[in-house]
Amino acid sequence: MILRANKKAAEQAAITRLADGSATEAERARLEAAVARSPELAAELAEQRRVVAMLASLDVGAPASLHQRLVAPEPPTARRRARPTSRIAIVTVVLIALLVFAIARPVGHANVRSVVAIALATGDGVPPGVSSHDHALLGVAIDRVAFPNWSTRGWRTSGSRIDTLGGQHVETVYYTAEGYERVGYAIVGGAALRITGARRAATRGGVSYWTIPDGRASVVTWRRDGHTCVLASRHAPVSALIALASVSA
Amino acid sequence: MAAAVRRGRYSRLVLDPDSLAAHTDRLYRAAWALCGSPHDAEDLVQETFARVLARPRILRGENELAYLMHALRNTFLSDRRKAARRPSIVATAIEDLPLEASDPRTAPEAALAASEVLAAVAQLEESFRLALIAVDIVGLSYAEAARALGTREATITTRLYRARQRLARQLAPTDREGTTPAVRLRDE
């Protein structure tokens, strides 16, 4: 009885493998001979093959919206390098635009774009250590909003900087992890900044995460205790930034 | 696809975030078959990718797809456990993005047939369903599927046999009654 059951199980395993082409040559030859002798086995094999073919022919692709949400920005090295003359022209135009912008703009006003630029810049400050009160946080905070400690997730702090934008303090901590480039996490002191030109990408635990289109980087912004936070990276995709941001929100 | 990284005396493979996009369609089909709904599948794939990308991942002798299948299964099981512990109104609040039309590359009739096949897969018993998804939808070998699902290769083979058998029988009756088949099994 046990021998018969074992034989049946072995036959079924061989039929399973034969149906999807993963049987060895020896199994194939042996089973094909057995199938030729047994209409029951032939029916079982045909049934298995029909399901394999049906599932292999499923023509369903992920919606474009899902692809867009998951896609990572182009790495900077992939972009075409500008010629020196056009680079000078670009720098000149940018400087003029910044000058006009600075003159026209009322003093005392920061915006999310400038915080993004800081988050993507370099930080020469000392990498902050872990808070002595709470190991989930770093020992650096702005208006009592502390930066998260992601070391258990493989991210260590690599630098920091402090800036002032239109009278508002911006504290930034940079994190790095093996396999990724750097991620900049900026918290703006004082009143929250208006979010413009952003698209809501996700809501986690009641917090909305917004992504800002940027050809060079992934940018996510949200609010913690009424403060604007920005997480930006030239390499990590938006979904990874949201995952990190939601740890600390 | 995976990037080789040297650390100390050892060389390891780190999952390359840029390569994940190539697996989105396959993971989406697997997610749909796992949870039975295209919208839940979108959330499941996004959540899986978010978890995988939250920190660097080391591939220990497995390929990316097997790793992602493992992550998809774990995310599905963990989300289901969480959903069971909270009121249903919260379970649907993970994303508030507007629903968008499905992929225009797919013809409506094909999408209908595919949705019925995937819905039928979603009704299979979980262990059978996972084996079927890993091998026949994601395309893993039996050994990879066994590793991704934390079981033995022989167990995968048995579950796969039964899953295919049940799926064939589940979808077959409408064919026999002579009505328009919900899903036509393609002859080889």
Side-chain angles (χ1 to χ4, degrees), chain A residues 66-73 218 237-239, chain B residues 21:
Chain A
L66 181 61
H67 280 287
Q68 281 164 10
R69 274 187 271 164
L70 300 175
V71 77
S218 299
V238 166
S239 50

Side-chain angles (χ1 to χ4, degrees), chain A residues 20 44 60 69 153 203, chain B residues 42 46 55 94 142 161:
Chain A
D20 58 32
E44 278 183 41
V60 178
R69 274 187 271 164
R153 295 174 161 256
T203 302
Chain B
E42 272 193 62
Q46 187 176 5
R55 60 187 168 92
I94 188 163
Y142 289 41
Y161 174 86

